[in-house]
Amino acid sequence: MATPLTVPDLADATELSCDVLVIGGGTAGTMAALTAAERGADVLLLEKAHVRHSGALAMGMDGVNNAVVPGRAEPDDYVAEITRANDGLVDQSTVRQTATRGFAMVRRLESYGVKFEKDEHGEYAVRQVHRSGSYVLPMPEGKDVKKVLYRQLRRREMRERIRIENRVMPVRILTHPEDGRAVGAAGFHTRTGEFVVVRAGAVILATGPCGRLGLPASGYLYGTYENPTNAGDGYAMAYHAGAALTGIECFQINPLIKDYNGPACAYVANPFGGYQVNRHGERFVESDYWSGQMMAEFAAELASDRGPVYLKLSHLPEETIGAVESILHTTERPTRGTFHENRGHDYRTHDIEMHISEIGLCGGHSASGVRVDDHARTTVPRLYAAGDLASVPHNYMIGAFVFGDLAGEDASRYRAYEGELDRAQVAAAHELVYRPLRNPDGPPQPQVEYKLRRFVNDYVAPPKTGAKLSLAVEAFDRMSTEITGMGARTAHELMRCAEVSFIRDCAEMAARASLARTESRWGLYHERLDHPERDDTGWLHHLDLRKSPAGAMEFTARPVEPYVVPVPEFSPPGGPERLLGEVELVPVATAGARDVVPAARDPRPAAAAAEVPSPAGPHPRLLRLLALVEDSPDLAALGPFLDDADPAVRAAAVTALGETAPAGAGPALAARLRDGAAPVRAAAAAALRELVEVLPAEPALGDGLREALGVPDPAVRAAALDVLRALRLGDAPLFAEALADASVEVRVQAVRALVSVDAVGDLARGTADPAREVRVAVARGLAAVRSPAPEPLAPLLDDPDPLVRGAALAALAGTGCPPSYAAGAGAALGDGAWQVRSGAATALRAAPPGLAVPALAGALADPNADVRKAAVLSLLAHRAEPAARAALAGAADDPDADVRAYASRAAR
C-alpha cells in the first residue's frame, strides 16, 4: 500500500534558478522558451502536465484564423477588422504586432516543420471565411504542431539552454517586497508532492485561458470547449502578483456541436461550402467576424421558433464531404467521427445540430486577459503574459506565437535573481498547496468544483443582470470557506484543488467586472438586461481590474489609446483614467441560510489495488525506443529499430524519426514507404508529409520517392507524388505517367503535380478521366497554372456530370471568359443543377460587363441562395457599371444573410 502523502516541511523545498522562467508549455510558452534561449538566456520551462502533450495546441489545430499573408491581406485592414470585432475596445499597438509579425512567424514555424496548406505553385492557400478579408490558412497536418514544437525544444542546442520540468505546477508568482518586480514562483510537483521554489530574472505566464469556468450542458467538469486543463491558473497568479487584468467582463462563448465539446468548425467547413442555417435551411448570420455580436445572433436564432440551428454540409458532393471529414475527424477533434457514428449521423444525410458553449475567459478568442503592452509586458515589472492569457483580442494561435516570441525576446535581458525571497509569500503558497492534506475527509474537489461552476452558469452567464451578478459575488465569497476545507490525499488531488481556487478567483473577477461595466457591449459576451444599450460616450474605455493594497478587487476605466489605424465607427474620447474603486453590489433579498458547508464525505475504504492484476508490460524494445527519443537520436541510433523484425517497433521508429528529424531522415522515410507492413508505410507517409517543409530536396530522397510509386499501396503512391511535387523533385513526364494510375486518389495528386509544373497539355488529358473527382481537379487546375486559358476547359464545359460542369464554369473566372464562353455561361444560368448555375455566375465575373451584368442581374432571382451569392460576388467585380450597382442595391433585401452582406459592400 502506498505511503500517504504528508505535508512537506517548508525548509525542504526544492530550489531552482534561471534567467527566464516560463510557466506553461503550450503554444506561447514553447515559443517564449525558444526565443529566450536563442538570445542567450538560461530558461526554465514549467508545465503541470507534460510539454509533449500539453496545452490547447495538443488537441489539434485545423488552421490559422489570422494569417496576414502579403498579397492576400494588409496589416492595417486586419487591425481595423479586429477593432470592429471588439467594439472599438482595442489597444491597436498590440493587435498590430500580430498583423505585422504574423507572416514571419508562419515562415518560422515552417522552418520547424509545421505544414500550412499551399497551392500547386507553393503559394499559401489562404481562404476567405470572413466577408471582408482573406485570413484563414488551413493546416492539413495541424494535429502534429505540438510534436513539431517539442522537437525544437529537444534539439541539442536548445537543451543546453532550456530546462524542462514536467509535472510542476506553480501556484503563485513571487515578487520583490520593495519594488514589486517578479523574481520567481512557488509551486509543487503534481506526482511526488514536493514543494518547489524558483528564482528568476523574469517570469513569463503562458498558462492559457480559463476554459473551466462555466459548466458544460453535459454537466461533465472536463467536457469544455477549451482544453479543460486551462483552469485560469495564470489569471489568478497575475492577479495575486498585483498585475492589472482587463476585459474580464468580455466572456468567450462559442458555437459548438450539440452534446459534443468540439467546435462547429466554420473555419474548416465554410471554405468548402458549408454554412450555418436555421431549421428552415436559411442562413441567418448578419455579422462578419466571429464575435460576440455574431454569437448574439446565433443565440437569438436558437431561442426563436426558427431553431434549432445546424451546420449544413449535406448539400455538398461526396468528395468534398470526405475532405471535410478528413480534417474534422483527425486534426481538430479525433473523437468527432466516433460521436457522429454513435448517433447514427452522417454529413451526407444529416445536418449537424449546433448549440452554444459554456462561458470562459480568453484573450485570444475574445478579449479577457492580463493587460499587456506591445512587448507582452504586464503592469508588474519583469512579469510577462502571452497567448490566450493575454488581453490581445482575437489573437488566436499565430498571435500566441507572436507574443510568446515578444515576451521571450524582452525577458532574455534579465539574469537570475539572487536575493532573498519573501518568506511570507513562499509560506502563503505552501499553505495554498497543502491545506487539503490536513483535511483529507473534507469535501472532494469534483463536488466543490461542480457547485462553483453551477453558480457561474446560474448567475454569471449572459444575459446578465446586476441582481444575478451580486448573488454570484456572494456565492463565490461564501464558497471560499468550502474551498479552504476541500480534502485531498494525493498530489494529483492537490493539483485539482489548487485549480478550483483559481476558478473561484476567475469567477469572482468575471462577476465583479460584469457588474462594473454598466452597459451592454460585445453582443452576447456582455449583455446586461438592466443596461441594454452600448454607451460609447461613457464606456469606450478598458475596464482594468487589480488587487488593492487591502486585498480587494478594484477597477479603473482606462481610455482607449489613439488608434494607429482609423476606424470610422469609433472615436475614442481619450482623457484621464477614472478610478472606480470597488464595485457596489445590487441589494438582493435572501430566504434562509445559504452558507451551510456541504457535509464531508465518509472516509474512503482502503484501496483494493493489490487485488487488481497488473496488465502485461509494454514491449521492451518500444520502451528503449521511447527513452531514446528523449535524447534526440541520430539516424544511426534509430537504425536498429527501423529494421526490427516486429512491425510495431518499426512503425514506432518511423514515428520517432518524424519527431526528431535527424540528418538523413528523408531517404530513410522514403525507404520505409516500401515496408511490407501497412502501419509502417502509413507512418512513413504521414511523417514525410509532416516534414515536407524541412526536408532537404536531395537526390536520394527523390530516388526513394520514385521507387515508392511502384508500391501496390495507393496511399503510398499518393504520398510520394505529394512530396515529389512539394519538394520540386519530379517532372512533367513522371507526373503525367501517374495520370494512368488505377487509384483516383493518386490521379488527383498527379493533377496537382502537373499544375505545379504548368503542364497544360498533360493536364488536358485528364479531361477524359472516368472519375468525376479527377475531372473536377483538372478543371480547377487549368485555372491555377501560371498562364491559364479558357480553351482547354472546353470538354469539361459539356461534361455530363453537373459538378464537373460547375467546376469548369467557375474556372473561367480565373482563365478569362471571352464573349463566346460568356454566352455559354449565360445559358448555363438556366441549368437544372444549382452547382452549374453557381459556376456560371462565377464565370461571368471575368466576362465583358455588357454580357455579364444583365445575366447576373437575372440570377439574383434564382431560388438557390448559393447561386445568388455567386451572382452578387461577380456583380461586385463589375460595380463600375451603373446597372451592376442598381442590381446590387436590389439584392440588399435578399432573404439570405450572406447575399445581403455581400451586396451591401457595393456602397463602400
Side-chain angles (χ1 to χ4, degrees), residues 439-492:
N439 186 32
D441 297 323
Q445 164 263 331
Q447 173 183 311
V448 177
E449 183 176 335
Y450 182 93
K451 183 176 180 180
L452 170 65
R453 292 169 61 190
R454 183 61 186 265
F455 281 138
V456 171
N457 280 20
D458 290 345
Y459 297 133
V460 184
K464 311 173 188 178
T465 68
K468 288 199 297 183
L469 293 166
S470 298
L471 285 171
V473 171
E474 291 184 10
F476 303 147
D477 284 344
R478 186 172 65 250
M479 287 203 69
S480 295
T481 302
E482 294 178 41
I483 290 172
T484 302
M486 279 189 300
R489 288 181 168 83
T490 68
H492 181 80

Side-chain angles (χ1 to χ4, degrees), residues 250-261:
C250 179
F251 299 161
Q252 177 190 11
I253 308 171
N254 295 286
L256 76 170
I257 299 303
K258 180 75 165 60
D259 300 329
Y260 177 76
N261 66 323

Side-chain angles (χ1 to χ4, degrees), residues 59-98:
M59 298 174 71
M61 182 61 61
D62 52 57
V64 175
N65 297 348
N66 54 346
V68 183
V69 175
R72 298 301 305 273
E74 293 296 327
D76 284 2
D77 292 340
Y78 175 76
V79 171
E81 188 75 15
I82 298 303
T83 302
R84 294 187 187 96
N86 210 51
D87 278 359
L89 284 184
V90 167
D91 180 352
Q92 286 192 344
S93 66
T94 60
V95 175
R96 190 170 173 77
Q97 288 282 50
T98 297

Side-chain angles (χ1 to χ4, degrees), residues 759-904:
V760 175
D762 291 314
L763 270 176
R765 287 171 41 206
T767 59
D769 194 280
R772 177 178 73 186
E773 300 95 315
V774 177
R775 301 199 304 277
V776 168
V778 169
R780 293 170 178 164
L782 287 170
V785 295
R786 296 193 185 279
S787 300
E791 289 78 14
L793 288 166
L796 300 177
L797 292 170
D798 295 322
D799 196 278
D801 190 291
L803 292 182
V804 177
R805 296 201 306 277
L809 284 162
L812 289 172
T815 64
C817 188
S820 59
Y821 288 86
L829 287 172
D831 195 280
W834 71 265
Q835 295 94 336
V836 174
R837 302 198 303 275
S838 176
T842 301
L844 291 172
R845 188 179 310 173
L851 296 173
V853 172
L856 290 169
L860 292 177
D862 194 281
N864 185 280
D866 281 331
V867 177
R868 301 198 303 276
K869 176 180 173 181
V872 164
L873 290 170
S874 290
L875 282 167
L876 285 171
H878 298 294
R879 75 179 98 185
E881 301 293 319
R885 292 197 299 275
L888 287 166
D893 295 325
D894 192 277
D896 185 83
D898 266 8
V899 176
R900 292 195 301 272
Y902 281 112
S904 67

Side-chain angles (χ1 to χ4, degrees), residues 690-710:
E690 176 193 334
L691 296 175
V692 71
E693 301 293 345
V694 295
L695 291 175
E698 52 190 318
L701 174 56
D703 293 342
L705 293 170
R706 287 171 183 263
E707 288 185 49
L709 292 176

Side-chain angles (χ1 to χ4, degrees), residues 400-460:
F401 280 130
V402 166
F403 272 80
D405 178 51
L406 289 166
E409 180 179 359
D410 204 71
S412 66
R413 299 178 294 156
Y414 303 110
R415 294 296 168 259
Y417 175 68
E418 297 179 353
E420 288 293 319
L421 296 174
D422 188 298
R423 293 178 179 272
Q425 293 181 35
V426 175
H430 186 274
E431 174 63 18
L432 173 64
V433 172
Y434 298 109
R435 65 190 179 193
L437 292 179
R438 299 190 181 97
N439 186 32
D441 297 323
Q445 164 263 331
Q447 173 183 311
V448 177
E449 183 176 335
Y450 182 93
K451 183 176 180 180
L452 170 65
R453 292 169 61 190
R454 183 61 186 265
F455 281 138
V456 171
N457 280 20
D458 290 345
Y459 297 133
V460 184

